[in-house]
Structures are given as structure tokens and as C-alpha cells.
Amino acid sequence: MRSQLRPHGTQAKQDEPGAAFTTDLSDTIMSMLRAEVSAIDPLKGFWEDGGADLTPGNRYWSLCPLDGTINYLRNLSEWTITIAILEVNEFHQVYPVLGVVYAPALGLMYLAARGEGAIRIRHSPQGDEKREAVIPSAAKTLRGSVICFGMSYFPEESKLALNAAASMAGLPADIKRIGPASLDLCKVADGTYDAYFEPALHSWDVPAVAAATVVVWEAQGTLERWDGNQIAWDSDNDVLATNGVLRDEIREYLNKAAHASDAAAD
């Protein structure tokens, strides 16, 4: 947060065109996170290091030092640090089972663990702490709802996101684009938004999205792919998170937009 007060002291960088934007600060935070969680329990290592052993029962740390780099650099408050644990199930599939999403500039943290529910911790400027369980909204229809969506660095994926949002125009009371994905997803879990969608989440998005996914699931919201299939944590995915009630209605619009995009490409 001190670094953010010096907005010209940190610059965004890309390792290659189309890759995620990062900063030198990300490296500093990552080193700290790795040291801290390893001291708690090394587990089987870090998912991002690759070469994961998919033996059932294995667990891996998955860390995101700065989700929302552009927000951070532009002195916006919506950026997070996330911690997740991924576990290999009996079918050799990987699922997140623990998630921490921390937004320091907002004084806000979400915590969730499989079977234990999800909570939100809010800190006032005076240092007071309030803990509360989070639950999604009760919105029953897109009409009058509040929807949020995400976009990527790739033009075709961004066009799909915008087309999907445009197809719903006139129904939701508002369609927002704020980011980062981890915080937007948690705001579905606590009822701030009724749903969130994004056409493509890439490998670098896994740590942040995995942490927020546990929060959504434990709050009894839904998070899956646009076609209703499960998220595959070892590949790219589109994603839809909802309060559970709006799921089918939104999926109709998303799938129509996806089919129109495929037809245009052909």
C-alpha cells in the first residue's frame, strides 16, 4: 500500500505480448508469501512450478501476489493478494479447497475452506474488525440485477465479453466492469453482484480464481464453465459465477454470444 502511494515508482511489464501484466512488486510479495506458507506447511510444493504429481490426496499451494495490477498502478483500491490450496481428488482431478482473498486498500478479506463456509472480514480505518458469513443475493431474474464481467488482453476474447454483455442490455439494472476477477467473484458470494462472467481465464489467472472459487462455493453460489461443465484447473476456461438462481438464464445469453462469435470466425 505504501508503494501504491508512489504511482510513478512502479511500472507494468509483460514477459511477452498477450501475457499478464506484472510489476517488480509482485516478485517481492511472492517471495514473502512463499516463505510464510511454507513455514506453515510445505504441502507438495507450489502448483505454478509445474510437474505436479496428481496422486489423490496431494495438496499444492497456489499463490497470486497481485491480482489487478492495472488497478494497482492507477491508484484504484480494487486489487488483491490471494492464497489457495489445490487438492487432487480420487479421480486425479484438481480442485481448490481453501481460499483467501485479501484486498488491503479496501480493508477487506474473504476466507473459505471446503465444508467450513465462507466469511468476510472488514476493517475500519480505526482498526475495528467485523466478521460475518457471506451469502449470495436472492435475485430471481436478470431484470433489475447487477452483473459484472471480466476481459482479457486478447482482442477476440474481449469482443466476446463485450458482445455477451451487450446481449443482456436492458435487463440488468447495471453491468459493471471493475476487476480483478478474484474480488468480483467474492462480490458474487456476498451478494454485491448477482453474477460474474468472463470468456477466458488463463494459466496465470488460476491462483486468484481458485481462491475466490472456494469463497463462492462455500457461500452456496455456483461457479462453472459457460456450458455448465466443471472448471479444469490445468487449462484455459470460460467462467460463470452466479447466486445459483440466475445460472440458467445467464447461460442462454453467454452461449448465444459464444455461438455467434464462432460463426463469425468461420
Side-chain angles (χ1 to χ4, degrees), residues 18-35:
F21 282 97
T22 63
T23 72
D24 292 337
L25 180 67
S26 298
D27 299 334
T28 301
I29 297 175
M30 180 63 91
S31 296
M32 181 272 291
L33 288 177
R34 286 193 168 215

Side-chain angles (χ1 to χ4, degrees), residues 22 28 36 71 79 84 89 114 163 166 168 181 184 186 200 209-210 214 241 244 256:
T22 63
T28 301
E36 292 290 335
N71 284 358
W79 53 274
N89 68 12
R114 183 179 58 190
N163 289 340
M168 301 178 197
D184 288 343
C186 287
V209 173
V214 188
K256 285 179 181 178

Side-chain angles (χ1 to χ4, degrees), residues 21-257:
F21 282 97
T22 63
T23 72
D24 292 337
L25 180 67
S26 298
D27 299 334
T28 301
I29 297 175
M30 180 63 91
S31 296
M32 181 272 291
L33 288 177
R34 286 193 168 215
E36 292 290 335
V37 300
S38 295
I40 296 170
D41 190 325
L43 300 181
K44 287 292 182 177
F46 298 93
W47 180 255
E48 294 75 33
D49 288 346
D53 178 357
L54 296 181
T55 300
N58 280 355
R59 288 181 169 182
Y60 299 88
W61 292 107
S62 187
L63 311 173
C64 178
L66 185 56
D67 188 28
T69 300
I70 301 302
N71 284 358
Y72 174 87
L73 291 171
R74 294 297 173 143
N75 206 28
L76 298 170
S77 299
E78 290 80 7
W79 53 274
T80 66
I81 297 168
T82 72
I83 299 172
I85 291 179
L86 302 179
E87 181 178 87
V88 183
N89 68 12
E90 59 190 280
F91 304 107
H92 305 276
Q93 299 168 322
V94 177
Y95 286 90
V97 295
L98 178 142
V100 179
V101 178
Y102 179 39
L106 295 173
L108 186 62
M109 180 184 290
Y110 295 86
L111 304 170
R114 183 179 58 190
E116 300 294 335
I119 65 171
R120 177 179 59 196
I121 303 174
R122 293 189 281 186
H123 293 91
S124 72
Q126 293 75 32
D128 299 326
E129 180 180 287
K130 182 177 182 180
R131 292 175 173 242
E132 53 208 346
V134 294
I135 58 174
S137 76
K140 297 180 179 180
T141 175
L142 268 176
R143 190 167 298 280
S145 64
V146 178
I147 308 299
C148 192
F149 71 98
M151 293 167 56
S152 77
Y153 304 116
F154 299 102
E156 291 305 315
E157 294 171 359
S158 295
K159 289 178 185 177
L160 177 54
L162 292 170
N163 289 340
S167 72
M168 301 178 197
L171 292 175
D174 203 351
I175 301 178
K176 297 185 177 294
R177 165 76 180 110
I178 300 175
S182 58
L183 191 57
D184 288 343
L185 290 169
C186 287
K187 288 185 176 182
V188 173
D190 72 8
T192 302
Y193 304 138
D194 301 305
Y196 170 88
F197 66 89
E198 184 159 352
L201 294 171
H202 300 278
S203 58
W204 57 79
D205 299 307
V206 166
V209 173
T213 293
V214 188
V215 178
V216 174
W217 284 345
E218 288 299 314
Q220 304 307 305
T222 63
L223 191 148
E224 59 199 356
R225 299 199 63 178
W226 289 12
D227 60 8
N229 288 327
Q230 297 175 342
I231 300 292
W233 297 101
D234 56 354
S235 64
D236 294 350
N237 298 266
D238 47 33
V239 65
L240 169 64
T242 77
N243 63 357
V245 185
L246 298 180
R247 180 170 113 192
D248 292 339
E249 186 178 0
I250 294 178
R251 278 177 55 193
E252 289 184 18
Y253 288 92
L254 298 182
N255 287 323
K256 285 179 181 178

